[in-house]
Amino acid sequence: MPDTPSAPLLLGDQPGSFPHSVLAERHPAIIRQVREAFPYEPWQHRALDELLANCTKGEIEPLPADAHDRDLWETWGLREYAGRSWFDVPWLWSESWFYRRLLQAVGYFGPGPWQGIDPFRPSKLAELDSPETDEELAALDGLAARPAGEQAQALLHGSLWGNRADLGFRLSAEGARTADAAPGLVADDSESLWALLGGTGTGTLCLVADNAGRELVPDLLLIAHLLAHGRIGRAVLHVKPYPYYVSDATTADVVDALRRLTGAGGAAAEYGQHLWAALADGRLTLRAHPFSCAPLPYEEMPADLRADFASATLTVVKGDLNYRRLVGDRLWAPTTPFPDVTAYFPGPVAALRTLKSDVITGLDARTEAELVAAEDQHWRTSGTHALIQLRGPGTP
């Protein structure tokens, strides 16, 4: 990263900090939610009890010898971190490890009758089938009468602010209190983003999805609009290969969202049918790369994923977790330039993100000062602020 001073990695070892609250409070809450969502068997309840004790008071343990991904996790840091407290390793790593262990506890990786059963599916479906989703889809009928440019901007902001529906975030008390607070953009490079998607009808958009449900739907709507209006010729949607971070989108969640759209009637159904056809003819492609669930920053991405992003006209990275992975999960000075910390990325990249963690870059000094004066440091994690940031082609 050119001329960019280093910043400390975020750990969960400071009581009172946001990372500590996630490890000590949110993860136990997620275990309770998962336990109540399914009629799990006694062995699963025992495994969840063991995970609860281990993640809050124990040490990181190796994976079983027959785990299908043991070698992968060992290359991702398990050899180094085994035997250490969950609170004393990088926060990004310990969060990711929690979800890997949770899936193991409920038998997701099998073999057995619970293999492949998403422990978060009831929450995802409840959100997708909510009255709020009905209202959002009905609003598309009115949007269809607006000029294409206004539609595009509205759908971009729908994709941006849809992240507030993140189910994991809403499990915390802070998220529940602030979910309806007035939003505000702290950085907005949308004009430069639209300039990259100029309407030649030949470019490729990579969109790295974050959450399922009411966030994934607007992501899909944005892709459908860009394809239909010739701003891109092809889209590649990157999802998770298995359930992750409570509400992160998988292929099954894409299918559920498309069925929700096509069954909604009106403009929503037209969007859904267009996307269904785009998958069938190759204009829309799904990717579920193993590195999507890696506990590492994107700077360490493997060569094949780097090649995918290098070939895109633009890669759009959605959500808070992907932002942390994009810029590095570090306590940067907020005025650290976004193009500097993403200089490693193999092509133009944009971040659409609502702020739900301490990591932030790319603010001007005045904006930072105004936020701190109004909210101290709570603006970093409240989910009431958002950003659209871009590092375009040729940015030094």
Side-chain angles (χ1 to χ4, degrees):
M1 295 180 183
D3 302 321
T4 305
S6 61
L9 278 171
L10 283 168
L11 305 177
D13 60 347
Q14 293 296 319
S17 70
F18 186 70
H20 188 278
S21 71
V22 169
L23 298 178
E25 300 167 22
R26 185 182 296 182
H27 287 176
I30 290 169
I31 291 174
R32 289 193 294 273
Q33 179 198 45
V34 166
R35 183 193 300 272
E36 294 167 2
F38 284 95
Y40 284 130
E41 300 178 34
W43 65 268
Q44 291 161 309
H45 284 280
R46 289 192 297 271
L48 290 169
D49 288 340
E50 291 169 3
L51 176 59
L52 178 61
N54 184 251
C55 74
T56 53
K57 299 177 181 178
E59 297 175 343
I60 293 165
E61 300 173 350
L63 285 172
D66 60 351
H68 73 282
D69 54 352
R70 177 173 175 164
D71 291 345
L72 196 56
W73 274 92
E74 287 184 347
T75 66
W76 287 346
L78 185 55
R79 286 194 187 98
E80 179 182 356
Y81 297 138
R84 295 169 63 175
S85 165
W86 291 58
F87 295 84
D88 293 336
V89 303
W91 180 42
L92 176 64
W93 200 96
S94 56
E95 270 200 292
S96 299
W97 181 240
F98 170 79
Y99 290 99
R100 171 59 184 83
R101 287 292 313 276
L102 181 62
L103 292 181
Q104 179 181 325
V106 298
Y108 180 86
F109 295 112
W114 293 92
Q115 185 176 26
I117 302 299
D118 183 348
F120 311 123
R121 183 167 172 78
S123 297
K124 292 175 176 178
L125 290 179
E127 181 184 282
L128 196 60
D129 294 335
S130 69
E132 291 83 2
T133 304
D134 289 334
E135 294 171 8
E136 290 163 2
L137 296 182
L140 293 171
D141 292 336
L143 184 63
R146 307 301 298 172
E150 289 185 23
Q151 292 182 43
Q153 189 71 359
L155 292 171
L156 178 69
H157 279 261
S159 179
L160 170 67
W161 288 107
N163 183 248
R164 294 172 73 188
D166 176 350
L167 300 169
F169 179 68
R170 293 196 326 206
L171 287 174
S172 69
E174 182 177 27
R177 286 197 306 271
T178 61
D180 295 323
L185 278 173
V186 299
D188 185 5
D189 292 337
S190 56
E191 286 190 18
S192 299
L193 184 152
W194 290 125
L196 268 181
L197 302 176
T200 64
T202 58
T204 296
L205 173 73
C206 281
L207 194 149
V208 182
D210 190 36
N211 297 309
R214 287 173 59 207
E215 180 184 354
L216 183 59
V217 167
D219 291 346
L220 290 168
L221 296 174
L222 177 62
I223 289 172
H225 178 89
L226 296 175
L227 287 169
H229 290 268
R231 285 185 174 268
I232 57 174
R234 180 171 175 265
V236 182
L237 181 62
H238 286 257
V239 296
K240 301 298 189 296
Y242 51 78
Y244 192 59
Y245 277 68
V246 179
S247 51
D248 280 25
T250 65
T251 299
D253 298 318
V254 174
V255 174
D256 286 338
L258 289 177
R259 286 178 173 152
R260 183 71 167 90
L261 285 171
T262 56
E270 292 180 15
Y271 278 109
Q273 290 158 7
H274 185 80
L275 290 162
W276 201 284
L279 277 166
D281 64 26
R283 287 175 296 133
L284 174 58
T285 305
L286 302 183
R287 292 279 190 275
H289 196 285
F291 192 78
S292 295
C293 292
L296 303 172
Y298 275 107
E299 190 171 15
E300 300 182 38
M301 73 179 88
D304 62 333
L305 187 57
R306 177 174 290 273
D308 243 14
F309 293 145
S311 66
T313 306
L314 176 66
T315 296
V316 173
V317 173
K318 281 294 310 294
D320 196 79
L321 171 62
N322 284 324
Y323 188 86
R324 291 164 56 194
R325 296 186 68 196
L326 178 65
V327 305
D329 202 31
R330 296 176 177 272
L331 197 59
W332 297 107
T335 54
T336 304
F338 177 76
D340 285 3
V341 295
T342 56
Y344 71 88
F345 204 83
V349 61
L352 301 186
R353 175 222 184 183
T354 50
L355 277 58
K356 300 178 186 176
S357 67
D358 293 306
V359 179
I360 185 70
T361 68
L363 300 191
D364 61 53
R366 179 178 177 179
T367 299
E368 182 197 2
E370 290 174 350
L371 289 165
V372 172
E375 305 178 35
D376 194 24
Q377 297 299 325
H378 296 298
W379 59 272
R380 293 174 178 259
T381 59
S382 66
T384 58
H385 299 280
L387 57 80
I388 302 172
Q389 292 177 323
L390 173 73
R391 184 184 67 80
T395 304

